[in-house]
Amino acid sequence: MTTTGTPIIGPGRLSLSAARHPNPLWWTLGLGLGLANAVRHRGKAYRRPRPYTTEEVGRSVDYVVAVVDRWEEDGVRSWEGLRVLELGPGPDLGTGAVILSRGAASYTAADLFPLADDAGSRYYDALGERLGVPVDLDRIGYHVTAFPGLPGLDGPYDVVVSSAALEHFDDVPATFARLGELAAPNATMTHHVDGMVHMRGIRPRDPLNLLRYSDWTYRRMSFPGVPNRLRASDYLAAAEETGWRARIVPGRVATDAYVERVRPGLARPFRDRTDLATLTFSVVCAR
């Protein structure tokens, strides 16, 4: 697996001087925010998976178009005539509208919580103007279901996609196995994964903060949807073990200097990992 990609930390980018080892500051800050998040979200998970709502219409429209563009850059060669399944679409179904406008035969979304129910008509009207065709929500299937079993979904699907969703799944191997059952012959998957800490105050300066804690401590910080801490090679192994041919497309990459500074302060299972620098990435799979 290669770790080439867009550096997130380096000359001209965000400084990590405060995260030098040994420094208990980041462990303590992460623990405090993690415990607070566990109390705040326990039982209901993230209600705002993005740091803004669809009330910010222009920003939201730009986002969903960019997500679909990234899937195309990383692995989806065409949507034309294909049946598409998206996992964890988040607070709106705009990606489905974009995919349908680009020729998909059908689009279905599956999520654990009904996060997209609050997206308003003003947002979809603006997205339709951007796409040059009105958004027809009747063409979009939306299932609130359980993972990894995905009851209510029948398939088959030609393309499976997700963006910043798989890192919130408890059982990625079982999910990939179930998707294999729902997949059509020659189906493909493109999943963009955000392997950075999701606590916004820490994320830009110590992106591997979530790896600093023992399993016992991290469980104290858990709630539905807490990041699972899998790294790129774990997703690759999960895909291959469940019958998918897979490759990793790196996104944001940490500098060697940052990784080596924080490595001694990580929990033991992560200290010797060779894929720590790959912070965000896409898992691209085929049958």
Side-chain angles (χ1 to χ4, degrees):
M1 182 183 64
T2 179
T3 57
T4 59
T6 303
I8 188 172
I9 300 155
R13 295 186 179 270
L14 295 169
S15 171
L16 283 180
S17 59
R20 296 178 186 279
H21 177 80
N23 188 338
L25 171 65
W26 297 109
W27 189 94
T28 304
L29 285 175
L31 178 64
L33 288 174
L35 292 174
N37 281 338
V39 171
R40 183 158 53 107
H41 295 299
R42 187 160 289 157
K44 59 183 180 180
Y46 291 107
R47 295 305 304 172
R48 290 183 61 185
R50 298 176 200 154
Y52 55 91
T53 72
T54 53
E55 292 299 313
E56 295 187 52
V57 169
R59 188 176 183 184
S60 297
V61 168
D62 289 344
Y63 176 82
V64 295
V65 172
V67 166
V68 177
D69 286 345
R70 182 172 59 204
W71 286 329
E72 293 177 356
E73 291 169 3
D74 289 346
V76 180
R77 298 296 171 241
S78 172
W79 307 100
E80 191 68 37
L82 301 182
R83 298 158 294 183
V84 181
L85 171 65
E86 180 179 1
L87 305 183
D92 63 77
L93 301 171
T95 47
V98 178
I99 288 168
L100 289 170
S101 76
R102 297 185 184 184
S106 66
Y107 167 88
T108 302
D111 214 335
L112 185 61
F113 297 96
L115 302 178
D117 284 350
D118 296 331
S121 59
R122 193 167 69 93
Y123 162 71
Y124 288 117
D125 289 345
L127 178 58
E129 290 180 11
R130 173 74 172 269
L131 299 177
V133 58
V135 174
D136 184 358
L137 292 176
D138 291 335
R139 292 190 63 197
I140 294 177
Y142 184 43
H143 296 264
V144 177
T145 185
F147 294 87
L150 299 171
L153 298 181
D154 297 323
Y157 300 103
D158 303 298
V159 180
V160 183
V161 292
S162 69
S163 181
L166 278 191
E167 67 268 20
H168 300 288
F169 284 35
D170 292 333
D171 195 336
V172 171
T175 300
F176 281 170
R178 176 59 177 144
L179 292 173
E181 295 172 350
L182 293 171
N186 302 315
T188 64
M189 301 197 300
T190 300
H191 301 283
H192 186 73
V193 178
D194 182 351
M196 300 167 63
V197 67
H198 282 30
M199 293 179 283
R200 296 182 185 113
I202 294 176
R203 175 183 174 89
R205 304 181 69 186
D206 189 30
L208 294 179
N209 182 275
L210 74 169
L211 307 184
R212 292 181 178 272
Y213 308 97
S214 67
D215 287 343
W216 185 92
T217 301
Y218 199 68
R219 284 195 296 271
R220 306 285 81 75
M221 302 157 67
S222 69
F223 55 89
V226 69
N228 57 35
R229 306 206 290 179
L230 298 179
R231 313 317 300 162
S233 59
D234 299 318
Y235 289 93
L236 191 67
E240 293 175 343
E241 289 169 4
T242 53
W244 295 91
R245 302 188 310 275
R247 61 187 174 90
I248 297 295
V249 179
R252 294 183 177 182
V253 177
T255 63
D256 292 341
Y258 166 70
V259 172
E260 294 314 309
R261 279 200 299 270
V262 303
R263 186 185 294 276
L266 302 182
R268 288 190 181 278
F270 302 105
R271 288 180 194 170
D272 296 328
R273 297 288 299 253
T274 59
D275 54 354
L276 294 175
T278 309
L279 301 177
T280 70
F281 49 92
S282 289
V283 189
V284 180
C285 309
R287 297 299 283 172

